[in-house]
Coordinates of all heavy atoms in Angstrom, one line a residue:
M215 N 54.5 82.8 -10.3 CA 53.8 82.8 -11.6 C 52.4 83.2 -11.3 O 51.7 82.6 -10.5 CB 53.9 81.5 -12.3 CG 53.3 81.4 -13.6 SD 53.4 79.8 -14.4 CE 55.2 79.6 -14.5
T216 N 51.9 84.2 -11.9 CA 50.5 84.6 -11.8 C 49.7 84.1 -12.9 O 50.2 84.0 -14.0 CB 50.4 86.1 -11.6 OG1 50.9 86.7 -12.7 CG2 51.1 86.6 -10.4
Y217 N 48.4 83.9 -12.7 CA 47.5 83.4 -13.7 C 46.3 84.3 -13.9 O 45.9 84.9 -12.9 CB 47.0 81.9 -13.3 CG 48.2 80.9 -13.2 CD1 48.6 80.5 -12.0 CD2 48.7 80.4 -14.4 CE1 49.7 79.6 -12.0 CE2 49.7 79.5 -14.3 CZ 50.2 79.0 -13.1 OH 51.2 78.1 -13.0
D218 N 45.8 84.3 -15.0 CA 44.5 85.0 -15.2 C 43.6 84.1 -16.1 O 43.9 83.0 -16.3 CB 44.8 86.4 -15.9 CG 45.4 86.3 -17.2 OD1 45.3 85.3 -18.0 OD2 46.0 87.3 -17.6
R219 N 42.6 84.7 -16.6 CA 41.6 83.8 -17.2 C 42.0 83.3 -18.6 O 41.5 82.4 -19.2 CB 40.2 84.5 -17.4 CG 40.3 85.9 -17.6 CD 38.9 86.5 -17.6 NE 38.8 87.2 -18.9 CZ 37.7 87.9 -19.3 NH1 36.8 88.0 -18.4 NH2 37.7 88.4 -20.4
R220 N 43.1 83.8 -19.1 CA 43.7 83.4 -20.3 C 44.6 82.2 -20.1 O 45.3 81.6 -21.1 CB 44.6 84.5 -21.0 CG 43.7 85.6 -21.5 CD 44.5 86.7 -22.0 NE 45.3 87.3 -20.9 CZ 46.1 88.3 -20.8 NH1 46.3 88.9 -21.9 NH2 46.6 88.7 -19.7
T221 N 44.7 81.7 -18.9 CA 45.5 80.5 -18.6 C 45.1 79.3 -19.4 O 44.0 79.0 -19.6 CB 45.5 80.2 -17.1 OG1 45.8 81.3 -16.4 CG2 46.3 79.0 -16.7
V222 N 46.1 78.6 -19.9 CA 45.8 77.3 -20.6 C 45.7 76.2 -19.5 O 46.6 76.0 -18.8 CB 47.0 76.9 -21.5 CG1 46.7 75.6 -22.2 CG2 47.2 78.0 -22.6
K223 N 44.5 75.6 -19.4 CA 44.2 74.7 -18.4 C 43.4 73.4 -18.8 O 43.0 72.7 -18.0 CB 43.5 75.4 -17.2 CG 42.2 76.1 -17.6 CD 41.7 76.9 -16.5 CE 40.5 77.7 -17.0 NZ 40.6 79.1 -16.7
M224 N 43.3 73.3 -20.2 CA 42.5 72.1 -20.6 C 42.8 71.7 -22.0 O 43.4 72.5 -22.8 CB 41.0 72.4 -20.5 CG 40.5 73.3 -21.4 SD 38.7 73.8 -21.1 CE 37.9 72.2 -21.4
C225 N 42.5 70.5 -22.4 CA 42.6 70.0 -23.7 C 41.2 70.3 -24.3 O 40.2 69.8 -23.8 CB 42.7 68.4 -23.7 SG 42.4 67.6 -25.3
V226 N 41.2 71.2 -25.3 CA 39.9 71.7 -25.8 C 39.2 70.7 -26.7 O 38.0 70.7 -26.7 CB 40.1 73.1 -26.6 CG1 40.5 74.2 -25.6 CG2 41.1 72.9 -27.7
C227 N 39.9 69.8 -27.4 CA 39.2 68.9 -28.2 C 38.5 67.8 -27.3 O 37.4 67.4 -27.7 CB 40.3 68.1 -29.1 SG 41.0 69.2 -30.3
H228 N 39.0 67.4 -26.2 CA 38.3 66.5 -25.3 C 37.6 67.2 -24.2 O 36.9 66.5 -23.5 CB 39.4 65.5 -24.7 CG 39.8 64.4 -25.6 ND1 39.3 63.2 -25.5 CD2 40.6 64.4 -26.7 CE1 39.8 62.3 -26.4 NE2 40.6 63.1 -27.1
R229 N 37.7 68.5 -24.2 CA 37.0 69.3 -23.1 C 37.3 68.7 -21.7 O 36.5 68.6 -20.9 CB 35.6 69.4 -23.4 CG 35.3 69.9 -24.8 CD 34.2 70.9 -25.0 NE 33.7 71.7 -23.9 CZ 34.0 72.9 -23.5 NH1 35.0 73.6 -24.2 NH2 33.4 73.5 -22.6
K230 N 38.6 68.4 -21.5 CA 39.0 67.9 -20.2 C 40.1 68.8 -19.6 O 41.1 69.2 -20.3 CB 39.6 66.5 -20.3 CG 38.6 65.4 -20.4 CD 39.3 64.1 -20.3 CE 38.3 63.0 -20.5 NZ 38.9 61.7 -20.7
K231 N 39.9 69.2 -18.4 CA 40.9 70.0 -17.7 C 42.2 69.2 -17.4 O 42.1 68.0 -17.2 CB 40.3 70.6 -16.4 CG 39.3 71.7 -16.7 CD 38.8 72.3 -15.4 CE 37.8 73.4 -15.8 NZ 37.4 74.1 -14.6
F232 N 43.3 69.9 -17.4 CA 44.5 69.2 -17.1 C 44.6 68.5 -15.7 O 45.2 67.5 -15.6 CB 45.7 70.1 -17.3 CG 46.0 70.6 -18.7 CD1 46.3 71.9 -18.9 CD2 45.9 69.8 -19.8 CE1 46.6 72.4 -20.2 CE2 46.1 70.2 -21.0 CZ 46.5 71.5 -21.3
D233 N 43.9 69.1 -14.8 CA 43.7 68.5 -13.5 C 43.1 67.1 -13.6 O 43.7 66.1 -13.0 CB 42.8 69.3 -12.6 CG 43.3 70.6 -12.2 OD1 44.5 71.0 -12.4 OD2 42.5 71.4 -11.6
A234 N 42.1 66.9 -14.4 CA 41.5 65.6 -14.5 C 42.3 64.7 -15.4 O 42.4 63.5 -15.1 CB 40.1 65.8 -15.2
I235 N 43.0 65.2 -16.3 CA 43.9 64.4 -17.2 C 45.1 63.9 -16.3 O 45.4 62.7 -16.4 CB 44.5 65.3 -18.4 CG1 43.3 65.6 -19.3 CG2 45.5 64.5 -19.1 CD1 43.7 66.6 -20.4
L236 N 45.6 64.7 -15.5 CA 46.7 64.3 -14.6 C 46.2 63.2 -13.7 O 47.0 62.2 -13.5 CB 47.3 65.5 -13.8 CG 48.5 65.2 -12.9 CD1 49.6 64.6 -13.6 CD2 48.9 66.4 -12.1
E237 N 45.1 63.4 -13.1 CA 44.5 62.4 -12.1 C 44.4 61.0 -12.8 O 44.8 60.0 -12.3 CB 43.2 62.9 -11.6 CG 42.6 61.9 -10.5 CD 41.4 62.5 -9.9 OE1 41.2 63.7 -9.8 OE2 40.5 61.7 -9.6
L238 N 43.8 61.0 -14.0 CA 43.6 59.8 -14.8 C 45.0 59.2 -15.2 O 45.2 58.0 -15.1 CB 42.8 60.0 -16.0 CG 41.3 60.1 -15.8 CD1 40.6 60.6 -17.1 CD2 40.7 58.8 -15.3
A239 N 45.9 60.1 -15.6 CA 47.3 59.6 -16.0 C 47.9 58.9 -14.9 O 48.6 57.9 -15.0 CB 48.1 60.8 -16.5
Q240 N 47.8 59.4 -13.7 CA 48.5 58.9 -12.5 C 47.8 57.6 -12.1 O 48.5 56.6 -11.8 CB 48.4 59.8 -11.3 CG 49.3 61.0 -11.5 CD 49.1 62.1 -10.5 OE1 48.1 62.2 -9.8 NE2 50.2 63.0 -10.3
E241 N 46.4 57.5 -12.2 CA 45.8 56.2 -12.0 C 46.1 55.2 -12.9 O 46.2 54.0 -12.5 CB 44.2 56.4 -12.0 CG 43.6 57.2 -10.9 CD 42.2 57.4 -11.1 OE1 41.5 56.7 -11.9 OE2 41.6 58.4 -10.4
L242 N 46.4 55.5 -14.2 CA 46.7 54.5 -15.2 C 48.2 54.4 -15.5 O 48.6 53.7 -16.4 CB 46.0 54.9 -16.5 CG 44.4 54.9 -16.4 CD1 43.8 55.4 -17.7 CD2 43.9 53.5 -16.2
N243 N 49.0 55.0 -14.6 CA 50.5 55.0 -14.8 C 51.0 55.5 -16.2 O 51.9 54.9 -16.7 CB 51.0 53.6 -14.4 CG 52.5 53.7 -14.0 OD1 52.9 54.7 -13.5 ND2 53.1 52.6 -14.4
C244 N 50.4 56.5 -16.7 CA 50.8 57.1 -17.9 C 52.0 58.0 -17.7 O 52.0 58.9 -16.8 CB 49.7 57.9 -18.6 SG 48.2 57.0 -19.0
K245 N 53.0 57.8 -18.5 CA 54.3 58.5 -18.3 C 54.6 59.5 -19.5 O 55.4 60.4 -19.4 CB 55.5 57.6 -18.2 CG 55.3 56.7 -17.1 CD 55.5 57.3 -15.8 CE 55.4 56.3 -14.6 NZ 55.1 56.9 -13.4
T246 N 53.8 59.3 -20.6 CA 54.1 60.1 -21.9 C 52.8 60.5 -22.5 O 51.7 60.0 -22.2 CB 54.8 59.2 -22.9 OG1 54.0 58.2 -23.4 CG2 56.2 58.7 -22.4
V247 N 52.9 61.5 -23.4 CA 51.7 61.9 -24.2 C 51.1 60.7 -24.9 O 49.9 60.5 -25.0 CB 52.1 63.0 -25.1 CG1 50.9 63.4 -26.0 CG2 52.4 64.3 -24.4
D248 N 52.0 59.8 -25.5 CA 51.5 58.7 -26.2 C 50.7 57.7 -25.3 O 49.7 57.1 -25.7 CB 52.7 57.9 -26.8 CG 53.3 58.6 -28.0 OD1 52.6 59.4 -28.6 OD2 54.4 58.3 -28.3
D249 N 51.1 57.6 -24.0 CA 50.3 56.8 -23.0 C 48.9 57.5 -22.8 O 48.0 56.7 -22.8 CB 51.0 56.8 -21.7 CG 52.3 56.0 -21.7 OD1 52.5 55.2 -22.7 OD2 53.1 56.1 -20.8
I250 N 48.9 58.8 -22.8 CA 47.6 59.5 -22.6 C 46.7 59.2 -23.8 O 45.5 58.9 -23.6 CB 47.9 61.0 -22.5 CG1 48.8 61.4 -21.3 CG2 46.6 61.8 -22.5 CD1 48.1 61.3 -20.0
I251 N 47.3 59.3 -25.0 CA 46.5 59.0 -26.2 C 46.1 57.5 -26.3 O 44.9 57.3 -26.6 CB 47.4 59.3 -27.5 CG1 47.6 60.8 -27.6 CG2 46.7 58.8 -28.7 CD1 48.7 61.2 -28.6
A252 N 47.0 56.6 -25.9 CA 46.6 55.2 -26.0 C 45.5 54.8 -25.0 O 44.7 53.9 -25.3 CB 47.8 54.3 -25.7
N253 N 45.4 55.5 -23.9 CA 44.3 55.3 -22.9 C 43.1 56.1 -23.2 O 42.2 56.2 -22.4 CB 44.9 55.5 -21.5 CG 45.7 54.4 -21.0 OD1 45.3 53.3 -20.7 ND2 47.1 54.6 -21.1
D254 N 43.1 56.9 -24.3 CA 42.0 57.7 -24.7 C 41.5 58.7 -23.6 O 40.4 58.9 -23.4 CB 40.8 56.8 -25.1 CG 39.8 57.6 -26.0 OD1 40.2 58.5 -26.7 OD2 38.6 57.2 -25.9
I255 N 42.5 59.3 -23.1 CA 42.3 60.3 -22.0 C 42.1 61.7 -22.7 O 41.2 62.4 -22.3 CB 43.4 60.3 -20.9 CG1 43.5 59.0 -20.3 CG2 43.2 61.4 -19.9 CD1 44.7 58.8 -19.4
A256 N 43.1 62.0 -23.5 CA 43.1 63.3 -24.3 C 44.1 63.3 -25.3 O 44.7 62.2 -25.6 CB 43.4 64.4 -23.2
C257 N 44.4 64.4 -25.9 CA 45.5 64.6 -26.9 C 45.3 64.0 -28.3 O 46.2 63.8 -29.0 CB 46.8 64.1 -26.3 SG 47.3 64.9 -24.8
K258 N 44.1 63.6 -28.6 CA 43.8 62.9 -29.9 C 43.2 63.8 -30.9 O 42.9 63.3 -32.0 CB 42.9 61.7 -29.7 CG 43.6 60.6 -28.9 CD 42.7 59.4 -28.6 CE 42.4 58.6 -29.9 NZ 41.6 57.5 -29.6
G259 N 43.1 65.1 -30.6 CA 42.5 66.0 -31.6 C 43.5 66.8 -32.3 O 44.3 66.3 -33.1
C260 N 43.5 68.1 -32.1 CA 44.3 69.1 -32.8 C 45.8 69.0 -32.5 O 46.6 69.4 -33.2 CB 43.8 70.5 -32.6 SG 44.1 71.1 -30.9
G261 N 46.1 68.5 -31.3 CA 47.5 68.4 -30.8 C 48.1 69.6 -30.1 O 49.2 69.6 -29.7
M262 N 47.3 70.7 -30.0 CA 47.8 71.9 -29.4 C 48.1 71.7 -27.9 O 49.0 72.4 -27.3 CB 46.8 73.0 -29.5 CG 46.6 73.6 -30.9 SD 48.0 74.4 -31.6 CE 48.1 75.8 -30.5
C263 N 47.5 70.7 -27.3 CA 47.8 70.5 -25.8 C 49.0 69.6 -25.6 O 49.5 69.5 -24.5 CB 46.6 69.8 -25.2 SG 46.2 68.2 -25.7
H264 N 49.5 69.0 -26.6 CA 50.6 68.0 -26.4 C 51.8 68.6 -25.6 O 52.2 68.0 -24.6 CB 51.2 67.5 -27.8 CG 50.3 66.5 -28.4 ND1 50.7 65.7 -29.4 CD2 48.9 66.3 -28.3 CE1 49.7 64.9 -29.8 NE2 48.6 65.3 -29.2
P265 N 52.3 69.8 -25.9 CA 53.4 70.3 -25.1 C 53.0 70.6 -23.7 O 53.8 70.4 -22.7 CB 53.9 71.6 -25.9 CG 52.8 71.9 -26.8 CD 52.0 70.6 -27.1
Y266 N 51.8 71.0 -23.5 CA 51.3 71.3 -22.2 C 51.2 70.0 -21.4 O 51.5 70.0 -20.2 CB 50.0 72.1 -22.2 CG 50.2 73.4 -22.8 CD1 49.7 73.7 -24.1 CD2 50.8 74.5 -22.1 CE1 49.8 74.9 -24.7 CE2 50.9 75.8 -22.7 CZ 50.4 76.0 -24.0 OH 50.6 77.2 -24.6
V267 N 50.6 69.0 -22.0 CA 50.5 67.7 -21.3 C 51.8 67.1 -21.0 O 52.0 66.6 -19.9 CB 49.6 66.8 -22.1 CG1 49.6 65.4 -21.5 CG2 48.1 67.3 -22.2
Q268 N 52.8 67.2 -21.9 CA 54.1 66.7 -21.7 C 54.7 67.4 -20.4 O 55.3 66.8 -19.6 CB 55.0 67.0 -22.9 CG 56.4 66.3 -22.7 CD 57.1 66.5 -24.1 OE1 56.8 67.2 -24.9 NE2 58.2 65.8 -24.1
K269 N 54.6 68.8 -20.4 CA 55.1 69.5 -19.2 C 54.4 69.1 -17.9 O 55.0 69.0 -16.9 CB 55.1 71.0 -19.5 CG 55.7 71.8 -18.4 CD 55.8 73.3 -18.8 CE 56.6 74.0 -17.6 NZ 56.7 75.4 -17.9
M270 N 53.1 68.9 -18.1 CA 52.3 68.5 -16.9 C 52.8 67.2 -16.3 O 53.0 67.0 -15.1 CB 50.8 68.4 -17.4 CG 49.9 67.9 -16.2 SD 48.3 67.3 -16.9 CE 48.8 65.7 -17.7
L271 N 53.1 66.3 -17.2 CA 53.6 64.9 -16.8 C 54.9 65.0 -16.1 O 55.3 64.3 -15.2 CB 53.6 64.0 -18.0 CG 52.3 63.5 -18.5 CD1 52.4 62.7 -19.8 CD2 51.5 62.7 -17.5
L272 N 55.7 66.0 -16.6 CA 57.1 66.2 -16.0 C 57.1 66.9 -14.7 O 57.9 66.7 -13.8 CB 58.0 66.9 -17.0 CG 58.4 66.1 -18.3 CD1 59.1 67.0 -19.2 CD2 59.2 64.9 -17.9
T273 N 56.2 67.9 -14.6 CA 56.2 68.8 -13.5 C 55.0 68.7 -12.5 O 55.2 69.2 -11.4 CB 56.3 70.3 -13.9 OG1 55.1 70.6 -14.6 CG2 57.5 70.5 -14.9
G274 N 53.9 68.2 -13.0 CA 52.7 68.2 -12.1 C 51.9 69.5 -12.2 O 50.8 69.5 -11.7
E275 N 52.4 70.4 -13.0 CA 51.7 71.7 -13.2 C 50.4 71.4 -14.0 O 50.5 70.5 -14.9 CB 52.5 72.7 -13.9 CG 53.7 73.3 -13.2 CD 54.5 74.2 -14.0 OE1 54.0 75.2 -14.4 OE2 55.7 73.8 -14.3
T276 N 49.3 72.1 -13.8 CA 48.1 71.9 -14.6 C 47.6 73.2 -15.2 O 46.5 73.2 -15.8 CB 47.1 71.2 -13.7 OG1 46.8 72.0 -12.6 CG2 47.5 69.8 -13.4
R277 N 48.3 74.3 -14.9 CA 47.9 75.6 -15.5 C 49.1 76.3 -16.0 O 50.1 76.3 -15.4 CB 47.2 76.5 -14.5 CG 45.9 75.9 -13.9 CD 45.3 76.7 -12.8 NE 45.0 78.0 -13.4 CZ 44.4 79.0 -12.6 NH1 44.1 78.8 -11.4 NH2 44.1 80.2 -13.2
F278 N 49.0 76.8 -17.3 CA 50.1 77.4 -18.0 C 49.8 78.7 -18.6 O 48.7 78.9 -19.0 CB 50.6 76.4 -19.1 CG 50.8 75.0 -18.6 CD1 49.8 74.0 -18.7 CD2 52.0 74.7 -18.0 CE1 50.0 72.8 -18.2 CE2 52.2 73.3 -17.5 CZ 51.2 72.4 -17.6
I279 N 50.8 79.5 -18.6 CA 50.7 80.8 -19.3 C 50.8 80.4 -20.8 O 51.7 79.7 -21.2 CB 51.8 81.8 -18.9 CG1 51.6 82.2 -17.4 CG2 51.8 83.0 -19.8 CD1 52.7 83.0 -16.8
P280 N 49.9 80.9 -21.6 CA 49.9 80.6 -23.1 C 51.3 80.8 -23.7 O 51.9 81.8 -23.6 CB 48.9 81.6 -23.7 CG 48.0 81.9 -22.6 CD 48.9 81.9 -21.3
G281 N 51.8 79.7 -24.3 CA 53.1 79.8 -25.0 C 54.3 79.5 -24.1 O 55.4 79.3 -24.6
D282 N 54.2 79.4 -22.8 CA 55.3 79.2 -22.0 C 56.1 78.0 -22.2 O 57.3 77.9 -22.0 CB 55.0 79.4 -20.5 CG 54.3 78.2 -19.8 OD1 53.8 77.4 -20.6 OD2 54.4 78.1 -18.6
V283 N 55.4 76.9 -22.8 CA 56.1 75.7 -23.1 C 57.0 75.8 -24.3 O 57.8 74.9 -24.5 CB 55.1 74.5 -23.2 CG1 54.4 74.2 -21.9 CG2 54.1 74.7 -24.3
Y284 N 56.8 76.8 -25.0 CA 57.6 77.0 -26.3 C 58.7 77.9 -26.1 O 59.6 78.0 -27.0 CB 56.7 77.6 -27.4 CG 55.5 76.7 -27.7 CD1 54.2 77.0 -27.3 CD2 55.7 75.6 -28.5 CE1 53.2 76.2 -27.7 CE2 54.7 74.7 -28.8 CZ 53.4 75.0 -28.4 OH 52.4 74.2 -28.7
V285 N 58.9 78.6 -24.9 CA 60.0 79.4 -24.7 C 61.2 78.7 -24.3 O 61.2 77.9 -23.4 CB 59.6 80.5 -23.5 CG1 60.8 81.4 -23.2 CG2 58.4 81.3 -23.9
K286 N 62.3 78.9 -25.0 CA 63.5 78.1 -24.7 C 64.2 78.6 -23.5 O 64.2 79.9 -23.3 CB 64.4 78.1 -25.9 CG 64.0 77.4 -27.1 CD 65.0 77.3 -28.1 CE 64.4 76.5 -29.3 NZ 65.5 76.1 -30.2
S287 N 64.6 77.8 -22.6 CA 65.3 78.3 -21.4 C 66.7 78.8 -21.8 O 67.3 78.3 -22.7 CB 65.4 77.2 -20.4 OG 66.1 76.1 -20.9
Q288 N 67.2 79.7 -21.0 CA 68.5 80.2 -21.2 C 69.5 79.5 -20.4 O 69.4 79.4 -19.2 CB 68.6 81.7 -21.0 CG 67.5 82.5 -21.8 CD 68.0 83.8 -22.2 OE1 69.1 84.2 -21.7 NE2 67.3 84.5 -23.0
S289 N 70.5 78.8 -21.0 CA 71.4 78.0 -20.2 C 72.8 78.8 -20.1 O 73.2 79.4 -21.0 CB 71.7 76.7 -20.8 OG 70.4 76.0 -20.9

């Protein structure tokens, strides 16, 4: 996967990069987006980052191609 400057890499409402969110989430043992919200780390504004943060928690990825979390996998 190649990335360019259009890469989604942060929660814009909280102005926090996913790298920092993941680090805090791991320190606080957050497993879900609701855990991230409850600990006031991110995800409390517009909600656009929710699917990216959910994928981040599942995979450890912190940079995403815009919209890739919305593409359904072919089974």
